[in-house]
Amino acid sequence: MIILGLETSCDETGIAVYNSFNGIISEYTYTQQIHSQYGGTVPELASKDHFKKILKLILFTLKSKKLVFTDLTCIAYTSGPGLKNALLIGVTFGKIIAFSLNIPSIGVNHLKSHIIIALLFNKLFDFPILVLFLSGAHSFLLEMINFDEFFILGKTLDDSIGEVFDKISRSLKMVPSNGKMIEKFSKKKFRFINKHYPKQYNNTHDFSFSGIKSAVIRDISSSVILYNDICNISYNLQNTLIKIVFNKCFNLLSSGKYKYFILSGGVSANKELRLLFKNYSYLFNLKFFTQPIKYCTDNGAMIAFLGFIRINNNFFDKNFNIIIKPNLYI
Ligand code: KG4
Ligand code: ZN
């Protein structure tokens, strides 16, 4: 099977081709730049930009590996969750291409695809798998029962962790404003500030990130911020967020119930986070699975790969109705 994956749920136009023998054979991810002058992703601009670029990007991704449309045997696209009009672009183009080639198409869950891409690089596993999923919009601790079923062990009660990285990065006037920039500045820290940020008082596996977000924003807006401060704040924020997440996972990692652990979602691109969980997985005898950094944030490869798994199990969209699911859950 040769599957074209289309990802347009937010501000990345991700295109990839997955071949069931050779894996990902071609890919391109375009990150929209137009939002940097606004406070966040502007949905209308996102969908316009997807519309403007998607066909050119598909053609480029195919041509760069000397592929043509008729090589494709299936199209997979993100059907949700995500921005309504942004999803519409991927679904519509996916359906039109599938219709004209007379091949099947399949809509896939963006959240599940983030997790399942880790299994493309780690093929020896069994269920259940303990999953820590940290993205821009969601934060979950999950038990993966099979490719389709996830049991929620914990979730964020307020903001997602990615949202905190993004908001603080924006308050520090970083361009682009994201966790990758916080990570970059945290490497240049000059001193450790021993700040007492809000503690996590609940005894469940649910996270709460809004307290630390507000506390750091308050600190930033109440003082003059110089370059050194940006580095120190970044370092402290990253450390504190990682500590919160790690403490919430500790008893699950050490429980002996799980043999496999997946770290996924955009925030899993953070090297400190990856190292900590890799080391503790080793310590507690769990096989640590994650994906290469380029597949942590939104991309077409994860959509093509989950599309392959779904089609392989005989799931596909039997009609050409354009259906999007902006509020789809895990
Ligand atoms: O999974 P993703 O691409 O989008 C959603 O589906 O939400 O995640 C994007 C999130 C953003 O919040 C971004 O700041 C964060 O992932 N991120 C990082 C890093 N790279 C991306 N957070 C911390 N450290 C990084 N290196
Ligand atoms: Zn995502």
Side-chain angles (χ1 to χ4, degrees), residues 9-10 12 110-111 114 133-138 160-163 165-166 177-183 238 265-271 296-298 302:
S9 67
C10 190
E12 257 100 21
H110 179 91
L111 306 180
H114 263 299
F133 175 67
L134 303 171
S135 78
H138 299 84
S160 78
I161 185 170
E163 149 110 11
F165 273 114
D166 296 348
S177 309
N178 57 36
K180 194 174 172 181
M181 293 298 281
I182 297 276
E183 182 175 12
Q238 180 178 288
V267 177
S268 71
N270 188 285
K271 294 198 184 77
C296 291
T297 44
D298 294 349
M302 63 187 195

Side-chain angles (χ1 to χ4, degrees), residues 5-9 24 76-81 106-121 131 133 135 142 144 147-148 150 262-266 268 290-291 295-310 328-330:
L6 306 177
E7 155 60 30
T8 64
S9 67
I24 305 297
Y77 41 81
T78 307
S79 54
I106 179 87
V108 306
N109 181 322
H110 179 91
L111 306 180
K112 289 181 181 171
S113 74
H114 263 299
I115 296 165
I116 289 168
I117 185 82
L119 300 174
L120 173 61
F121 305 96
V131 179
F133 175 67
S135 78
L142 304 159
M144 184 176 183
F147 281 116
D148 239 1
F150 291 77
I262 293 181
L263 177 64
S264 71
S268 71
T290 192
Q291 51 288 313
Y295 297 126
C296 291
T297 44
D298 294 349
N299 63 85
M302 63 187 195
I303 306 304
F305 182 55
L306 181 52
F308 162 71
I309 289 173
R310 308 265 311 149
L328 192 61
Y329 210 49
I330 190 78

